[in-house]
């Protein structure tokens, strides 16, 4: 006797995440009941989208308010039986040092991968993580330095080019990081090329004497 798969009463999946382009916290998917929970418990607003309505938090909310509202809404959805994915960066219940610990583990793993590399392509993969143009470690670090430079200049009330010397050097440090990323990417591209075996001159055909080399006087 063949047994058929049971029918499951699964509510539509809800994803709560931060849109990288606009910086808005958005909730995509879900039923009308999910929409009601998002609006009541998280203060989400309904907005029309290219693939139907979605929900988002209001513009201009501080980051901590974004995290609080997203976390509250996600737990209310879970309690109502919905399947929810909450962006870890929005989870208020994550351990305070969780992101830092994860970053340290990631760097340690990259160092181990570099030490254990047995091929040029494996080295190239590690270097890509370091210097990839958008999400590489060096470009991301440069972004942090640039933002800190701008913030420090604004807090000192200094016009561009008139910052105190230690703060002004942040700008040159950012340029150095850009150059370092360029150098690493160049090395990455070189390492990614397949290694060709050394070429050797073809051996002479058997049975054929080589002509003597003539000398000029």
């Amino acid at each position: 006797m063949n047994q058929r798969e049971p029918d499951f009463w699964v509510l539509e999946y809800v994803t709560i995440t931060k849109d990288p382009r606009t910086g808005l916290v958005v909730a995509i998917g879900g039923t009308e009941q999910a929409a009601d929970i998002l609006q009541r418990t998280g203060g989400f607003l309904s907005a029309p989208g290219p693939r139907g309505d979605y929900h988002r938090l209001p513009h201009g909310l501080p980051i901590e308010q974004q995290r609080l509202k997203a976390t509250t809404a996600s737990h209310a959805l879970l309690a109502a039986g919905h399947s929810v994915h909450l962006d870890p960066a929005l989870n208020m219940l994550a351990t305070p040092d969780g992101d830092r610990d994860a970053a340290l583990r990631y760097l340690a793993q990259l160092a181990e991968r570099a030490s254990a590399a047995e091929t040029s392509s494996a080295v190239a993969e590690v270097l890509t993580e370091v210097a990839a143009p958008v999400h590489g470690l060096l470009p991301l670090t440069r972004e942090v330095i640039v933002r800190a430079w701008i913030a420090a200049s604004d807090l000192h009330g200094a016009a561009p080019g008139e910052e105190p010397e230690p703060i002004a050097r942040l700008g040159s440090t950012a340029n150095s990081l850009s150059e370092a990323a360029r150098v690493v990417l160049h090395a990455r591209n070189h390492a990614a090329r397949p290694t060709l075996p050394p070429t050797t001159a073809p051996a002479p055909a058997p049975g054929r004497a080589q002509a003597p080399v003539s000398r000029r006087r």
Side-chain angles (χ1 to χ4, degrees):
M1 180 179 177
N2 293 331
Q3 292 184 344
R4 61 186 296 272
E5 291 294 325
D7 294 327
F8 293 98
W9 293 87
V10 180
L11 296 175
E12 191 175 349
Y13 203 85
V14 181
T15 297
I16 302 176
T17 188
K18 193 166 189 173
D19 177 57
R21 184 177 61 84
T22 63
L24 287 174
V25 175
V26 298
I28 302 170
T31 61
E32 289 186 359
Q33 183 190 17
D36 177 79
I37 294 172
L38 286 166
Q39 293 175 18
R40 286 188 299 102
T41 64
F44 281 77
L45 306 174
S46 178
R51 299 181 181 178
D53 289 350
Y54 69 100
H55 286 79
R56 65 168 177 79
L57 288 178
H59 291 275
L61 284 179
I63 293 177
E64 289 306 306
Q65 280 293 311
Q66 292 180 346
R67 298 181 68 203
L68 176 61
K69 290 179 178 295
T71 301
T72 301
S74 69
H75 281 268
L77 287 167
L78 288 170
H82 294 266
S83 297
V84 182
H85 167 73
L86 174 64
D87 187 335
L90 296 171
N91 189 354
M92 284 286 290
L93 301 182
T95 57
D97 294 330
D99 292 341
R100 183 176 185 276
D101 291 341
L104 293 176
R105 287 195 301 270
Y106 173 62
L107 290 172
Q109 290 168 4
L110 281 183
E112 291 174 0
R113 285 172 58 187
S115 297
E118 297 181 353
T119 63
S120 291
S121 61
V123 174
E125 290 175 0
V126 174
L127 295 179
T128 302
E129 295 292 322
V130 172
V134 177
H135 293 123
L137 294 172
L138 284 175
L140 290 174
T141 303
R142 177 190 178 278
E143 181 69 16
V144 174
I145 297 298
V146 168
R147 294 193 181 200
W149 174 31
I150 294 172
S153 298
D154 289 345
L155 290 172
H156 279 78
E162 298 179 0
E163 307 96 335
E165 193 265 346
I167 294 176
R169 292 186 64 181
L170 289 175
S172 61
T173 300
N175 292 333
S176 298
L177 288 171
S178 295
E179 175 62 16
R182 188 191 67 79
V183 170
V184 173
L185 274 183
H186 183 70
R188 175 260 181 200
N189 293 338
H190 185 79
R193 296 177 188 142
T195 304
L196 299 177
T199 58
T200 56
R208 296 178 61 185
Q210 292 181 337
V213 178
S214 62
R215 295 182 180 179
R216 294 181 180 180
R217 292 186 180 180

